[in-house]
Amino acid sequence: MQPLQGITVVTLEHAIAAPFATRQLADMGARVIKIERPGTGDFARGYDERVRGLASHFVWTNRSKESLTLDVKHEEAQKILMRLIIEEADVVVQNLAPGAAARLGLSYEALSEVKPGIIVCDISGYGSDGPYRDKKAYDLLIQSEAGFVSVTGTPDTPSKAGPSIADIAAGMYAYTNILAALMHRQQTGQGQCIDISMLEALGEWMNYPLYYAFEGATPPARTGASHATIYPYGPFAAGDGKTVMLGLQNEREWKIFCEKVLLQPNLATEERFSTNAKRSAQRAELSALILQAFASLTAADVAQRLEEAGIANAQVNTMAEVWEHPQLKARQRWTTVETAKGAVPALIPPGSWQHGAARMDPVPALGQHTEAILNRYGYTAAQIETLRAEGAV
């Protein structure tokens, strides 16, 4: 039995934050019913066509769900949605425009009056109140507002993260808060209103640079793939033009690095490099010495020395190399999921269970489950066809 088997989630979601949260609930066995706009659905379906004609973001965040198409502004569709929530839902998740869910009668205040145990999770850019409540929020914009962009990139070029980390952060906090709310309800019988802000989620992830810049102190510098305050830590070129990523954490490792990797044991005792703060301040000078030592070596040679010395290191893998990563293969972390375009590989969710496995059901086609759900509520084929003609489903 999967942990969330028997839990039903109704979600009015699009893009990444909410779908990522609810997909993880589905991974754990919850029944997730995704409400989509008739004809177009979640707009993330149209982001690209990189997965055999399907969108990469959508395939990633929507497996194991049921797709029900409803025009939530249509009177009959509203009745269907409310019946679905009142009769079946344990959790309602939404990341519609600010205030939209409340106008549809889907606020916690409205739903809890008829269903006290309901859990409602609202995900937005800036939260349910405050001066930024109605401000549009996309991942890049939240990365900027949370200060992430200001400490990421090179000295000349501030940069965003490649993946949608603000959405991912919000989705993770939505997921964990929903799990906590389910436990709270199990103990008390009470439902819960959960207000997840993308700004607050990514703000939590920014606490190290925030504290580093405490009370007006200089914030961490933008140093590309290097560490802003620890050195040597980051990418270094080898003689064959390839890059090795390495990291030192303490003085013991610095001494070993000088002796066994650079083959310059006297460097470890030089005053100019005697502490991390001094090495970081003299990083240009130290970088030149390291690159000179690596110039006659291939990246594989450097990595071998680092491994033998017990110094942390990594390859800078491409996406193609991650698909073929030997560690993921050795731990059997790949499986397949079905889509409308056939089976595609999928990474098994992090974490290993002693009993059972994560649910990895198909990615739904738009409206794939509409007829089956309406049939359960007594709608005939003729009635469903009428609703389709009206654009209600």
Side-chain angles (χ1 to χ4, degrees), residues 3 18 215 313 392:
E215 294 185 333
N313 65 92

Side-chain angles (χ1 to χ4, degrees), residues 4 79 99 104 112 118 139 155-156 182 209 221 240 243 271 368:
L4 296 184
K79 292 178 182 178
L104 292 170
S112 63
I118 194 72
D139 187 83
D156 296 327
L182 287 167
D240 60 357
T243 298
E271 179 61 27
Q368 180 178 340

